[in-house]
Amino acid sequence: MPLIELSAKNERWIVLVGLGLVVIVGLIITEIVGDRLMMSQMSDGIGGLSYAFLVFLMWWSMMMAMMLPSAAPAILTFAAVNRKLQTGTNLGAHLIAFVSGYLLIWTGFSLAIVILQLLLQTKIQLSMMMAVASSAFGGGLLLAAGLYQISPLKSACLRKCQTPLMYFTHNWKKGASGAFKMGLSHGLYCVGCCWVLMGLLFYGGVMEPRWILGLALYIGIEKLVPAENRVSQFTGVLLIGWGILTIWITIGVP
């Protein structure tokens, strides 16, 4: 019993430390796999199951490192609500189930984007850092991300991420299976909020650490800043302008 009480008392710190460790491990794996992919490109080229697995491992570890910090408010809110609504010794199992559902969604996203990358990389040239070589295509990515930032779908998904307590109030399900389903559902809203932004990794470089950290920092800020500040809309306008300017310069319009 004392151990259970101690865990509940320090739950916030346990969760935050756990998330921090996952992020660190994710960044280390991303860096190691990224170096291996660069060596593979220089020696063996692209293609084959081993290359595809490395690409997936890179994307998966990168998504874990990028998305878990921004999910911390939802995870901590779930833990607090779960502790008040449900009693017993399986509160930790419920928390693990919720996080597992969230991570499963991002694992599926990683798999989907790897398949898309492998299909498109034979038609679209990428640099050694996995950035698109075509300035026009890069401008198109910026423009697409900007337009999505100001779309109603983006706003609807972002509201769920910005107000996790409201989300749980309307979607609460009991037990470990309910926690897992809530993790899946909240993960889908998170993907709906950020999936186009992930496409910008192909503009700055999928294996460029500064671009990865910068994008992760922005996603965290976007979810933490109150909706009335309209950070996503402001960013959308900037991205649209950046994309149009990039395309304009590329095609040489007088």
Side-chain angles (χ1 to χ4, degrees):
M1 187 65 176
L3 180 60
I4 297 173
E5 293 178 350
L6 181 63
S7 298
K9 183 178 180 180
N10 297 281
E11 185 177 55
R12 177 176 292 270
W13 288 109
I14 292 172
V15 171
L16 290 176
V17 170
L19 291 178
L21 290 174
V22 172
V23 169
I24 292 172
V25 172
L27 289 173
I28 292 174
I29 294 175
T30 301
E31 185 70 20
I32 293 174
V33 175
D35 292 341
R36 180 65 184 87
L37 280 171
M38 290 183 67
M39 294 174 60
S40 178
Q41 291 175 17
M42 290 186 292
S43 58
D44 306 326
I46 58 176
L49 288 177
S50 60
Y51 178 82
F53 175 75
L54 285 174
V55 174
F56 169 76
L57 186 58
M58 180 192 66
W59 273 102
W60 180 81
S61 59
M62 184 165 53
M63 292 301 98
M64 300 304 104
M66 290 180 68
M67 299 314 303
L68 277 175
S70 67
I75 296 172
L76 291 172
T77 301
F78 169 83
V81 174
N82 188 56
R83 188 171 61 251
K84 290 183 178 181
L85 295 182
Q86 301 181 158
T87 58
T89 60
N90 55 355
L91 297 181
H94 294 171
L95 180 60
I96 292 173
F98 176 78
V99 175
S100 297
Y102 181 86
L103 294 183
L104 181 60
I105 292 298
W106 279 104
T107 299
F109 174 83
S110 301
L111 180 60
I113 201 167
V114 167
I115 293 173
L116 181 63
Q117 178 180 337
L118 294 177
L119 289 174
L120 293 180
Q121 68 183 9
T122 57
K123 303 180 183 300
I124 301 172
Q125 184 179 358
L126 299 177
S127 69
M128 292 295 294
M129 301 302 291
M130 290 191 180
V132 291
S134 169
S135 296
F137 192 87
L141 288 175
L142 292 168
L143 184 58
L147 290 172
Y148 188 76
Q149 284 291 102
I150 61 175
S151 70
L153 180 58
K154 165 73 178 192
S155 298
C157 292
L158 183 58
R159 280 195 297 271
K160 300 291 185 181
C161 296
Q162 290 175 325
T163 55
L165 181 58
M166 187 68 67
Y167 167 80
F168 292 125
T169 300
H170 292 92
N171 298 276
W172 188 261
K173 296 177 177 63
K174 295 181 179 180
S177 62
F180 181 73
K181 291 176 183 177
M182 286 188 289
L184 291 174
S185 176
H186 198 271
L188 284 173
Y189 283 118
C190 190
V191 169
C193 176
C194 303
W195 71 277
V196 178
L197 288 175
M198 294 305 170
L200 293 179
L201 288 169
F202 287 107
Y203 179 82
V206 175
M207 296 191 295
E208 174 53 63
R210 291 171 296 182
W211 192 257
I212 295 171
L213 292 174
L215 193 56
L217 179 62
Y218 169 77
I219 289 173
I221 292 173
E222 188 179 69
K223 290 184 178 182
L224 292 174
V225 173
E228 57 267 21
N229 289 298
R230 300 183 179 277
V231 172
S232 61
Q233 288 88 343
F234 177 73
T235 305
V237 172
L238 289 180
L239 288 171
I240 290 171
W242 188 1
I244 291 175
L245 180 60
T246 301
I247 295 173
W248 184 286
I249 294 174
T250 302
I251 63 178
V253 177

